[in-house]
Amino acid sequence: MTDASPPYLGRFAPSPTGPLHFGSLVAAAGSFLEARTRGGRWLVRIEDVDAPRSVPGAAEDILITLERFGFEWDAEPVWQSRRLDAYAAALERLRAAGHVFACGCTRREMADSALARDGSRIYPGTCRAGLPPGREARAWRVRAEGTIAFEDRVQGPQHEDLAHEVGDFVVLRADGQFAYQLAVVVDDAEAGVTDVVRGADLIGSTGRQIHLQRLLGFPTPSYAHLPVVVNAAGEKLSKQTLASPVTDYAPTHALLAALAFLGQNPPQALRGAPLREVWQWALAHWSLAAVPRRLQAPAPTGVFALPNAGTDTHPSHTGSST
Ligand code: GLU
């Protein structure tokens, strides 16, 4: 590292769509430990840019849960819903430079287009050269060009042919909401985030984010995508898959489970220890290199059984409670 490198700044960026679940705890713990063990600062950003999906009270609930689990952030949390002017300014810059175009296509009209890795449709290019007569602008899309390559610090070398694998993507949605891809890029750049450590469900978004960073003249952070926690059915833990709130568990047990999931091998002796000691151990032993190079992995069963949709297991059922 040279003297010119900016100081490490990491972040955890939950979407307030429900209470914090074990999958989000894993992402929070991984990004926090990497930041702290590299002498860095760590921020929390509430990703409520998608107003229709945000659940009232969920953000406050997540912050309280993070505090209860012993996380400490270095500045007031940033709320995306309060930053719409910054996103509008970035969009205006893209527009002025000709990097975006108005699109009048409906979802139904694109139903035959090929699917991108994240399940969205690869844009067929209908409005790329200008809105065809009789069409009205609905969304704004950025022109996707070139191949993006980056070295992921957990998953290894990645590359994505943006035009063919993703297509021109939306930065301002038809419902008037700024797209996550734009918001995240503007926020990370403005905060000075140097290192993104997050779930591998977002690895397919990284090419789009790097493309936007380049168009906007922002630096590209380093990326580390942690394996995503899946339930017995192979589904990512989320509100939709009925993941239970992490507050259902004793913080020490949940944190130990998160560390085990991240390949850190915490000693069994810590199971009865105070939360503070678990953090002390984690800070002394954290190794990003030990994180399994997998896009997803099942929830660990040894430390506590995580409930799956339709079953009702609880940590006390593992026989660990006193
Ligand atoms: N808000 C996203 C999520 O909760 C995370 C975005 C990011 O870390 O870049 O899945």
Side-chain angles (χ1 to χ4, degrees), residues 11 13-15 45 47 180 184 196 198 201-202 209 236:
R11 86 312 192 264
S15 301
R45 180 169 72 230
E47 299 220 311
Y180 154 71
V184 112
V196 173
R198 62 185 177 189
D201 50 322
L202 291 160
Q209 292 172 15
K236 182 190 163 199

Side-chain angles (χ1 to χ4, degrees), residues 148-278:
I148 305 285
F150 66 99
E151 180 71 26
D152 190 273
R153 294 184 55 234
V154 172
Q155 308 293 340
Q158 307 290 318
H159 62 91
E160 192 159 48
D161 176 345
L162 270 195
H164 295 103
E165 292 173 43
V166 177
D168 302 330
F169 56 94
V170 170
V171 280
L172 183 67
R173 297 178 355 189
D175 63 2
Q177 307 278 323
F178 291 102
Y180 154 71
Q181 308 293 359
L182 180 68
V184 112
V185 162
V186 172
D187 290 343
D188 282 343
E190 199 159 298
V193 168
T194 58
D195 289 73
V196 173
V197 179
R198 62 185 177 189
D201 50 322
L202 291 160
I203 201 163
S205 286
T206 308
R208 277 171 278 182
Q209 292 172 15
I210 293 175
H211 182 57
L212 282 172
Q213 287 154 6
R214 291 181 183 165
L215 295 179
L216 288 162
F218 295 153
T220 289
S222 125
Y223 287 96
H225 286 91
L226 308 171
V228 165
V229 186
V230 293
N231 63 18
E235 302 160 327
K236 182 190 163 199
L237 298 190
S238 68
K239 206 172 79 171
Q240 287 72 32
T241 57
L242 308 181
S244 42
V246 82
T247 45
D248 281 5
Y249 308 106
T252 308
H253 287 186
L255 182 58
L256 284 170
L259 292 169
F261 179 84
L262 289 168
Q264 306 298 306
N265 227 343
Q268 284 290 315
L270 281 175
R271 293 190 65 169
L275 186 61
R276 185 175 30 85
E277 275 177 35
V278 178

Side-chain angles (χ1 to χ4, degrees), residues 65-86:
T65 306
L66 287 172
E67 250 172 4
R68 188 175 150 205
F69 273 77
F71 288 93
E72 286 169 4
W73 43 96
D74 294 305
E76 278 300 302
V78 168
W79 294 66
Q80 288 189 326
S81 56
R82 300 174 193 167
R83 294 188 30 79
L84 302 185
D85 289 351

Side-chain angles (χ1 to χ4, degrees), residues 86-192:
Y87 311 143
L91 179 62
E92 196 40 53
R93 281 177 56 207
L94 293 170
R95 206 178 274 166
H99 295 312
V100 291
F101 61 89
C103 172
C105 299
T106 61
R107 211 173 280 233
R108 201 146 57 92
E109 285 167 324
M110 290 187 291
D112 293 338
S113 303
L115 283 176
R117 199 158 37 144
D118 68 356
S120 61
R121 297 283 167 189
I122 299 178
Y123 186 62
T126 320
C127 305
R128 205 170 206 254
L131 276 176
R135 287 204 183 234
E136 276 185 26
R138 291 168 46 81
W140 283 79
R141 289 179 185 272
V142 65
R143 298 176 200 283
E145 271 140 23
T147 295
I148 305 285
F150 66 99
E151 180 71 26
D152 190 273
R153 294 184 55 234
V154 172
Q155 308 293 340
Q158 307 290 318
H159 62 91
E160 192 159 48
D161 176 345
L162 270 195
H164 295 103
E165 292 173 43
V166 177
D168 302 330
F169 56 94
V170 170
V171 280
L172 183 67
R173 297 178 355 189
D175 63 2
Q177 307 278 323
F178 291 102
Y180 154 71
Q181 308 293 359
L182 180 68
V184 112
V185 162
V186 172
D187 290 343
D188 282 343
E190 199 159 298

